[in-house]
mmCIF file of all heavy atoms in Angstrom:
data_model
loop_
_atom_site.group_PDB
_atom_site.id
_atom_site.type_symbol
_atom_site.label_atom_id
_atom_site.label_comp_id
_atom_site.label_asym_id
_atom_site.label_seq_id
_atom_site.Cartn_x
_atom_site.Cartn_y
_atom_site.Cartn_z
ATOM 1 N N SER A 62 -139.962 107.207 77.632
ATOM 2 C CA SER A 62 -138.711 107.844 77.200
ATOM 3 C C SER A 62 -138.019 108.508 78.379
ATOM 4 O O SER A 62 -136.782 108.421 78.530
ATOM 5 C CB SER A 62 -138.993 108.893 76.116
ATOM 6 O OG SER A 62 -139.476 108.282 74.942
ATOM 7 N N ALA A 63 -138.794 109.186 79.222
ATOM 8 C CA ALA A 63 -138.217 109.836 80.393
ATOM 9 C C ALA A 63 -137.640 108.807 81.362
ATOM 10 O O ALA A 63 -136.554 108.996 81.931
ATOM 11 C CB ALA A 63 -139.277 110.689 81.094
ATOM 12 N N THR A 64 -138.353 107.700 81.533
ATOM 13 C CA THR A 64 -137.860 106.643 82.423
ATOM 14 C C THR A 64 -136.565 106.049 81.889
ATOM 15 O O THR A 64 -135.608 105.807 82.639
ATOM 16 C CB THR A 64 -138.918 105.532 82.565
ATOM 17 O OG1 THR A 64 -140.120 106.079 83.111
ATOM 18 C CG2 THR A 64 -138.424 104.420 83.481
ATOM 19 N N LEU A 65 -136.522 105.810 80.590
ATOM 20 C CA LEU A 65 -135.307 105.263 79.976
ATOM 21 C C LEU A 65 -134.142 106.236 80.084
ATOM 22 O O LEU A 65 -132.996 105.819 80.288
ATOM 23 C CB LEU A 65 -135.576 104.923 78.507
ATOM 24 C CG LEU A 65 -136.450 103.688 78.254
ATOM 25 C CD1 LEU A 65 -136.866 103.623 76.786
ATOM 26 C CD2 LEU A 65 -135.701 102.412 78.643
ATOM 27 N N ALA A 66 -134.430 107.532 79.939
ATOM 28 C CA ALA A 66 -133.357 108.526 80.062
ATOM 29 C C ALA A 66 -132.769 108.515 81.470
ATOM 30 O O ALA A 66 -131.548 108.576 81.650
ATOM 31 C CB ALA A 66 -133.891 109.925 79.717
ATOM 32 N N ASN A 67 -133.623 108.425 82.480
ATOM 33 C CA ASN A 67 -133.130 108.349 83.854
ATOM 34 C C ASN A 67 -132.300 107.090 84.084
ATOM 35 O O ASN A 67 -131.256 107.120 84.742
ATOM 36 C CB ASN A 67 -134.305 108.375 84.838
ATOM 37 C CG ASN A 67 -134.992 109.725 84.886
ATOM 38 O OD1 ASN A 67 -134.377 110.736 84.584
ATOM 39 N ND2 ASN A 67 -136.264 109.739 85.267
ATOM 40 N N ALA A 68 -132.771 105.981 83.519
ATOM 41 C CA ALA A 68 -132.042 104.717 83.677
ATOM 42 C C ALA A 68 -130.695 104.773 82.960
ATOM 43 O O ALA A 68 -129.684 104.283 83.474
ATOM 44 C CB ALA A 68 -132.881 103.564 83.133
ATOM 45 N N ARG A 69 -130.699 105.382 81.788
ATOM 46 C CA ARG A 69 -129.454 105.470 81.012
ATOM 47 C C ARG A 69 -128.403 106.272 81.779
ATOM 48 O O ARG A 69 -127.206 105.955 81.734
ATOM 49 C CB ARG A 69 -129.739 106.103 79.656
ATOM 50 C CG ARG A 69 -128.515 106.160 78.742
ATOM 51 C CD ARG A 69 -128.913 106.450 77.302
ATOM 52 N NE ARG A 69 -129.694 107.662 77.180
ATOM 53 C CZ ARG A 69 -130.976 107.693 76.809
ATOM 54 N NH1 ARG A 69 -131.637 106.574 76.564
ATOM 55 N NH2 ARG A 69 -131.618 108.845 76.702
ATOM 56 N N THR A 70 -128.847 107.295 82.489
ATOM 57 C CA THR A 70 -127.913 108.098 83.281
ATOM 58 C C THR A 70 -127.205 107.264 84.335
ATOM 59 O O THR A 70 -126.032 107.498 84.646
ATOM 60 C CB THR A 70 -128.665 109.256 83.967
ATOM 61 O OG1 THR A 70 -129.240 110.091 82.968
ATOM 62 C CG2 THR A 70 -127.732 110.085 84.824
ATOM 63 N N ARG A 71 -127.894 106.241 84.880
ATOM 64 C CA ARG A 71 -127.302 105.427 85.935
ATOM 65 C C ARG A 71 -126.115 104.602 85.450
ATOM 66 O O ARG A 71 -125.133 104.428 86.167
ATOM 67 C CB ARG A 71 -128.346 104.478 86.551
ATOM 68 C CG ARG A 71 -129.498 105.147 87.243
ATOM 69 C CD ARG A 71 -129.018 106.187 88.248
ATOM 70 N NE ARG A 71 -128.059 105.633 89.198
ATOM 71 C CZ ARG A 71 -128.366 104.997 90.311
ATOM 72 N NH1 ARG A 71 -129.636 104.862 90.653
ATOM 73 N NH2 ARG A 71 -127.422 104.551 91.119
ATOM 74 N N PHE A 72 -126.170 104.101 84.207
ATOM 75 C CA PHE A 72 -125.048 103.260 83.773
ATOM 76 C C PHE A 72 -124.127 103.926 82.765
ATOM 77 O O PHE A 72 -123.096 103.376 82.381
ATOM 78 C CB PHE A 72 -125.523 101.902 83.222
ATOM 79 C CG PHE A 72 -126.512 101.969 82.097
ATOM 80 C CD1 PHE A 72 -126.112 102.223 80.807
ATOM 81 C CD2 PHE A 72 -127.860 101.739 82.337
ATOM 82 C CE1 PHE A 72 -127.021 102.269 79.774
ATOM 83 C CE2 PHE A 72 -128.784 101.783 81.294
ATOM 84 C CZ PHE A 72 -128.365 102.047 80.016
ATOM 85 N N THR A 73 -124.473 105.141 82.313
ATOM 86 C CA THR A 73 -123.516 105.876 81.470
ATOM 87 C C THR A 73 -122.794 106.943 82.269
ATOM 88 O O THR A 73 -121.759 107.444 81.841
ATOM 89 C CB THR A 73 -124.230 106.556 80.280
ATOM 90 O OG1 THR A 73 -125.211 107.474 80.771
ATOM 91 C CG2 THR A 73 -124.894 105.526 79.393
ATOM 92 N N GLY A 74 -123.359 107.320 83.425
ATOM 93 C CA GLY A 74 -122.717 108.340 84.253
ATOM 94 C C GLY A 74 -123.292 109.702 83.976
ATOM 95 O O GLY A 74 -123.482 110.096 82.821
ATOM 96 N N ALA A 75 -123.548 110.447 85.009
ATOM 97 C CA ALA A 75 -124.077 111.812 84.860
ATOM 98 C C ALA A 75 -122.936 112.803 84.723
ATOM 99 O O ALA A 75 -121.824 112.561 85.163
ATOM 100 C CB ALA A 75 -124.926 112.173 86.079
ATOM 101 N N ARG A 76 -123.192 113.910 84.093
ATOM 102 C CA ARG A 76 -122.185 114.952 83.950
ATOM 103 C C ARG A 76 -121.913 115.581 85.310
ATOM 104 O O ARG A 76 -122.752 115.636 86.180
ATOM 105 C CB ARG A 76 -122.670 116.034 82.986
ATOM 106 C CG ARG A 76 -122.760 115.562 81.563
ATOM 107 C CD ARG A 76 -123.105 116.725 80.659
ATOM 108 N NE ARG A 76 -122.135 117.792 80.797
ATOM 109 C CZ ARG A 76 -120.989 117.840 80.153
ATOM 110 N NH1 ARG A 76 -120.634 116.883 79.347
ATOM 111 N NH2 ARG A 76 -120.162 118.859 80.329
ATOM 112 N N SER A 77 -120.693 116.056 85.473
ATOM 113 C CA SER A 77 -120.346 116.735 86.715
ATOM 114 C C SER A 77 -121.117 118.045 86.815
ATOM 115 O O SER A 77 -121.573 118.593 85.809
ATOM 116 C CB SER A 77 -118.839 117.018 86.751
ATOM 117 O OG SER A 77 -118.455 117.794 85.649
ATOM 118 N N ASN A 78 -121.257 118.535 88.034
ATOM 119 C CA ASN A 78 -121.995 119.778 88.191
ATOM 120 C C ASN A 78 -121.124 120.973 87.832
ATOM 121 O O ASN A 78 -119.932 120.849 87.588
ATOM 122 C CB ASN A 78 -122.550 119.899 89.624
ATOM 123 C CG ASN A 78 -121.462 119.947 90.672
ATOM 124 O OD1 ASN A 78 -120.453 120.645 90.519
ATOM 125 N ND2 ASN A 78 -121.641 119.188 91.746
ATOM 126 N N PHE A 79 -121.767 122.124 87.849
ATOM 127 C CA PHE A 79 -121.109 123.341 87.385
ATOM 128 C C PHE A 79 -119.855 123.649 88.193
ATOM 129 O O PHE A 79 -118.810 124.006 87.640
ATOM 130 C CB PHE A 79 -122.110 124.501 87.479
ATOM 131 C CG PHE A 79 -121.498 125.848 87.242
ATOM 132 C CD1 PHE A 79 -121.199 126.275 85.955
ATOM 133 C CD2 PHE A 79 -121.207 126.687 88.306
ATOM 134 C CE1 PHE A 79 -120.625 127.525 85.731
ATOM 135 C CE2 PHE A 79 -120.645 127.926 88.095
ATOM 136 C CZ PHE A 79 -120.354 128.339 86.803
ATOM 137 N N PHE A 80 -119.948 123.517 89.508
ATOM 138 C CA PHE A 80 -118.820 123.886 90.365
ATOM 139 C C PHE A 80 -117.634 122.946 90.172
ATOM 140 O O PHE A 80 -116.477 123.367 90.225
ATOM 141 C CB PHE A 80 -119.265 123.913 91.823
ATOM 142 C CG PHE A 80 -120.308 124.959 92.103
ATOM 143 C CD1 PHE A 80 -121.639 124.597 92.254
ATOM 144 C CD2 PHE A 80 -119.970 126.300 92.165
ATOM 145 C CE1 PHE A 80 -122.604 125.567 92.491
ATOM 146 C CE2 PHE A 80 -120.918 127.279 92.395
ATOM 147 C CZ PHE A 80 -122.248 126.911 92.555
ATOM 148 N N VAL A 81 -117.921 121.668 89.935
ATOM 149 C CA VAL A 81 -116.842 120.717 89.657
ATOM 150 C C VAL A 81 -116.166 121.074 88.340
ATOM 151 O O VAL A 81 -114.933 121.039 88.216
ATOM 152 C CB VAL A 81 -117.390 119.273 89.615
ATOM 153 C CG1 VAL A 81 -116.317 118.304 89.132
ATOM 154 C CG2 VAL A 81 -117.893 118.851 90.987
ATOM 155 N N ASP A 82 -116.961 121.431 87.334
ATOM 156 C CA ASP A 82 -116.396 121.800 86.031
ATOM 157 C C ASP A 82 -115.523 123.054 86.146
ATOM 158 O O ASP A 82 -114.449 123.128 85.541
ATOM 159 C CB ASP A 82 -117.520 122.055 85.019
ATOM 160 C CG ASP A 82 -118.218 120.779 84.604
ATOM 161 O OD1 ASP A 82 -117.619 119.696 84.765
ATOM 162 O OD2 ASP A 82 -119.369 120.856 84.121
ATOM 163 N N VAL A 83 -115.975 124.036 86.912
ATOM 164 C CA VAL A 83 -115.203 125.274 87.085
ATOM 165 C C VAL A 83 -113.887 124.985 87.802
ATOM 166 O O VAL A 83 -112.818 125.474 87.406
ATOM 167 C CB VAL A 83 -116.020 126.327 87.863
ATOM 168 C CG1 VAL A 83 -115.140 127.498 88.260
ATOM 169 C CG2 VAL A 83 -117.189 126.813 87.017
ATOM 170 N N ALA A 84 -113.968 124.183 88.864
ATOM 171 C CA ALA A 84 -112.755 123.843 89.607
ATOM 172 C C ALA A 84 -111.765 123.099 88.725
ATOM 173 O O ALA A 84 -110.555 123.366 88.761
ATOM 174 C CB ALA A 84 -113.116 122.996 90.827
ATOM 175 N N ARG A 85 -112.259 122.177 87.922
ATOM 176 C CA ARG A 85 -111.377 121.414 87.032
ATOM 177 C C ARG A 85 -110.742 122.326 85.987
ATOM 178 O O ARG A 85 -109.564 122.180 85.636
ATOM 179 C CB ARG A 85 -112.155 120.298 86.336
ATOM 180 C CG ARG A 85 -111.266 119.371 85.529
ATOM 181 C CD ARG A 85 -112.068 118.293 84.808
ATOM 182 N NE ARG A 85 -111.171 117.303 84.249
ATOM 183 C CZ ARG A 85 -110.478 117.459 83.132
ATOM 184 N NH1 ARG A 85 -110.580 118.601 82.441
ATOM 185 N NH2 ARG A 85 -109.680 116.510 82.686
ATOM 186 N N PHE A 86 -111.513 123.282 85.489
ATOM 187 C CA PHE A 86 -110.988 124.211 84.482
ATOM 188 C C PHE A 86 -109.799 124.993 85.024
ATOM 189 O O PHE A 86 -108.751 125.084 84.379
ATOM 190 C CB PHE A 86 -112.090 125.170 84.045
ATOM 191 C CG PHE A 86 -111.620 126.245 83.097
ATOM 192 C CD1 PHE A 86 -111.472 125.975 81.748
ATOM 193 C CD2 PHE A 86 -111.318 127.514 83.560
ATOM 194 C CE1 PHE A 86 -111.024 126.960 80.873
ATOM 195 C CE2 PHE A 86 -110.872 128.509 82.691
ATOM 196 C CZ PHE A 86 -110.725 128.224 81.346
ATOM 197 N N PHE A 87 -109.939 125.539 86.243
ATOM 198 C CA PHE A 87 -108.897 126.412 86.784
ATOM 199 C C PHE A 87 -107.721 125.652 87.396
ATOM 200 O O PHE A 87 -106.634 126.223 87.518
ATOM 201 C CB PHE A 87 -109.489 127.368 87.819
ATOM 202 C CG PHE A 87 -110.260 128.505 87.202
ATOM 203 C CD1 PHE A 87 -111.642 128.556 87.297
ATOM 204 C CD2 PHE A 87 -109.610 129.508 86.504
ATOM 205 C CE1 PHE A 87 -112.361 129.599 86.723
ATOM 206 C CE2 PHE A 87 -110.313 130.554 85.923
ATOM 207 C CZ PHE A 87 -111.694 130.593 86.032
#
Side-chain angles (χ1 to χ4, degrees):
S62 294
T64 300
L65 287 169
N67 290 335
R69 183 165 55 247
T70 299
R71 297 309 306 275
F72 56 79
T73 60
R76 291 186 57 84
S77 58
N78 62 44
F79 171 77
F80 296 103
V81 172
D82 289 339
V83 170
R85 187 182 190 281
F86 175 81
F87 284 109

